[in-house]
């Protein structure tokens, strides 16, 4: 019985790693669709998000069954409960990649990103890809030091987001209002993507050490988006 329990725990870990792989693929392809105005690629990202949702549901069902059948305690209990939280973060990362793809689809046949900001958005996409790849390795290895170091990647994303926002508020840039609004939301999607990866890394730290670090809160995400849009509209 205990052998099966630990096999199920290994399955949970494997599924979490698979979620990071799928989220990484999604944000990579969404970035390409956005920059190249590739509507077919955008559609594929949107459709593929269903796979992440299915894995998350299966993982949560397995976790609930383990809690009911095995009634784990101590470290084993932490593994199961923390895995459910991590799957939620990773599924949300897939949603954010889907949102980027939806912007790409909305603006085709034109690109939602003006030429002068292509390299900036590309860099945000590359940082997002790197951070979710590291996230997968952290889950597989339960490397506490690597998990703690992920904050540095998130700092880079935060700086890119601040720089983008500064450009959007610069009246001399003379960007069309729809472009400004698109980019404001795109920037937030990439920033949140990285934040959720950091949240997963912090959960790994808790899993290994039993000590819980401060965590990114997403309770007011919609309100924050509204604030961003209101600020852009006020200055545009």
């Amino acid at each position: 019985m205990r052998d099966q329990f630990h096999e199920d725990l290994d399955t949970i870990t494997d599924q979490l790693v698979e979620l990071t792989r799928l989220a990484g693929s999604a944000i990579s392809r969404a970035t390409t669709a956005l920059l190249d105005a590739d509507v077919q690629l955008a559609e594929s990202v949107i459709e593929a998000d269903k796979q992440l949702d299915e894995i998350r549901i299966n993982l949560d069902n397995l976790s609930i069954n383990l809690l009911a059948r095995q009634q784990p305690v101590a470290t084993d209990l932490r593994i199961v409960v923390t895995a459910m939280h991590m799957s939620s973060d990773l599924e949300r990362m897939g949603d954010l990649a889907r949102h980027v793809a939806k912007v790409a689809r909305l603006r085709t046949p034109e690109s939602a990103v003006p030429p002068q900001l292509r390299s900036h958005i590309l860099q945000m996409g590359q940082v997002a890809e790197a951070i979710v790849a590291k996230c997968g390795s952290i889950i597989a290895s339960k490397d506490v030091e690597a998990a703690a170091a992920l904050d540095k990647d998130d700092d880079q994303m935060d700086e890119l987001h601040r720089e983008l926002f500064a450009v959007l508020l610069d009246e001399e840039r003379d960007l069309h209002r729809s472009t400004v609004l698109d980019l404001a939301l795109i920037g937030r999607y990439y920033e949140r993507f990285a934040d959720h990866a950091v949240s997963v890394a912090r959960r790994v730290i808790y899993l290994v050490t039993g000590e819980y670090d401060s965590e990114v809160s997403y309770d007011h995400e919609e309100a924050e988006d509204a604030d961003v849009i209101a600020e852009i509209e006020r200055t545009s």
Side-chain angles (χ1 to χ4, degrees):
M1 181 70 79
R2 296 301 295 178
D3 287 344
Q4 181 61 51
F5 175 66
H6 287 290
E7 286 181 14
D8 289 340
L9 291 182
D10 289 341
T11 297
I12 287 174
T13 298
D14 291 343
Q15 288 185 335
L16 289 171
V17 173
E18 176 65 4
L19 282 173
T20 65
R21 187 191 67 79
L22 292 173
S25 173
I27 199 65
S28 174
R29 291 183 296 119
T31 301
T32 299
L34 184 68
L35 295 174
D36 295 348
D38 188 332
V39 68
Q40 291 185 335
L41 186 58
E43 290 284 7
S44 74
V45 174
I46 294 166
E47 181 65 23
D49 186 57
K50 294 177 183 177
Q51 186 178 0
L52 277 89
D53 294 341
E54 290 173 0
I55 292 176
R56 187 264 171 100
I57 291 170
N58 291 337
L59 192 153
D60 285 355
N61 286 338
L62 175 57
S63 298
I64 291 169
N65 287 335
L66 282 178
L67 290 174
R69 289 188 288 104
Q70 300 289 345
Q71 298 181 350
V73 295
T75 302
D76 289 343
L77 178 61
R78 278 210 308 272
I79 292 173
V80 177
V81 173
T82 302
M84 295 176 71
H85 288 297
M86 288 194 286
S87 71
S88 177
D89 279 313
L90 292 166
E91 187 266 339
R92 182 59 180 150
M93 290 165 74
D95 289 343
L96 291 164
R98 186 188 70 215
H99 293 337
V100 172
K102 284 185 174 181
V103 175
R105 182 179 65 179
L106 177 66
R107 297 305 175 192
T108 53
E110 303 297 326
S111 172
V113 182
Q116 63 269 37
L117 288 172
R118 284 180 61 87
S119 63
H120 194 92
I121 296 301
L122 176 60
Q123 190 174 359
M124 294 186 84
Q126 290 171 339
V127 172
E129 289 179 56
I131 202 170
V132 71
K134 290 180 181 179
C135 191
S137 296
I138 288 166
I139 292 171
S141 65
K142 296 181 177 59
D143 187 332
V144 172
E145 290 186 6
L150 207 64
D151 275 336
K152 294 181 179 178
D153 296 83
D154 186 48
D155 289 342
Q156 185 180 1
M157 181 67 85
D158 289 341
E159 180 60 27
L160 287 168
H161 182 243
R162 283 191 292 269
E163 291 172 359
L164 177 62
F165 197 67
V167 170
L168 299 182
L169 294 178
D170 185 353
E171 295 180 1
E172 295 183 1
R173 293 282 181 168
D174 194 28
L175 296 171
H176 191 277
R177 184 172 178 175
S178 62
T179 298
V180 172
L181 291 174
D182 284 345
L183 290 171
L185 289 176
I186 289 166
R188 280 285 289 151
Y189 297 150
Y190 283 114
E191 183 205 25
R192 278 197 209 162
F193 187 94
D195 284 344
H196 280 285
V198 170
S199 178
V200 170
R202 287 173 175 166
R203 295 187 194 282
V204 170
I205 294 173
Y206 168 71
L207 182 63
V208 174
T209 68
E211 298 178 1
Y212 207 63
D213 195 0
S214 60
E215 176 185 2
V216 180
S217 174
Y218 308 102
D219 293 340
H220 305 293
E221 284 182 340
E222 299 304 324
E224 289 174 0
D225 279 349
D227 290 342
V228 169
I229 293 171
E231 177 66 11
I232 293 294
E233 291 181 330
R234 184 183 68 79
T235 56
S236 61

